[in-house]
Amino acid sequence: MKAQKYIRYADDFVIFSAERDYLLCILPLISDFLRKRLILELHPKKVSINTSASGIDFLGWIHFPDYRIPRHATIRRMWKRIIDDFSKETFASYRGLLSHGNTFGLQNDLSNFTWLFHDTRKSII
């Protein structure tokens, strides 16, 4: 379809365009391609055309045309996991996850928490 801005993961995808008419035009083409070539159908309740000003919620992130931030539920789940079961592997995993979006402040908070956690643990032991 030659879409310039899109996100795809497995059989889920989001296409960004400033032109609503363009999206309405390619929707039947996409549906036809999926049906004929991949034997897939678009779920009628999961197809929508929205403005991107408020972001598109997709795979744990809120996507905007030029950047992405983690969904609030993703951040809450991250902090709960880190507090309940802190390990180097968990920390490294979340650092890797956060590297894929605009999360500079959150990465700093995570680093500061790690130092605080280690300092507290040393004083207890």
Side-chain angles (χ1 to χ4, degrees):
M1 303 298 135
K2 305 295 183 197
Q4 292 184 2
K5 294 188 177 188
Y6 68 95
I7 307 166
R8 184 183 71 84
Y9 180 77
D11 61 347
D12 295 327
F13 59 92
V14 176
I15 299 173
F16 291 96
S17 175
E19 301 294 326
R20 180 180 176 84
D21 291 339
Y22 167 74
L23 295 172
L24 290 170
C25 179
I26 67 167
L27 185 58
L29 300 174
I30 292 169
S31 180
D32 198 41
F33 174 83
L34 291 173
R35 189 178 329 99
K36 289 180 180 176
R37 293 275 186 101
L38 304 177
I39 311 169
L40 295 172
E41 294 288 330
L42 291 174
H43 193 287
K45 293 183 179 178
K46 295 184 179 180
V47 174
S48 64
I49 296 177
N50 302 317
T51 63
S52 61
S54 58
I56 307 298
D57 188 349
F58 185 69
L59 299 175
W61 295 84
I62 307 297
H63 296 267
F64 296 91
D66 298 321
Y67 67 98
R68 78 188 89 165
I69 58 174
R71 183 190 301 155
H72 291 292
T74 303
I75 295 170
R76 279 193 305 272
R77 193 169 36 255
M78 176 191 78
W79 283 115
K80 182 177 180 348
R81 172 88 189 273
I82 288 170
I83 291 167
D84 290 349
D85 180 31
F86 184 83
S87 67
K88 288 181 182 179
E89 292 81 10
T90 301
F91 176 74
S93 175
Y94 281 114
R95 287 295 297 236
L97 174 76
L98 295 175
S99 72
H100 294 283
N102 295 37
T103 60
F104 180 76
L106 192 53
Q107 288 182 50
N108 282 341
D109 292 346
L110 187 59
S111 293
N112 291 337
F113 174 81
T114 304
W115 287 110
L116 176 65
F117 181 81
H118 283 297
D119 289 344
T120 306
R121 194 168 185 191
K122 286 177 186 176
S123 64
I124 294 172
I125 296 174

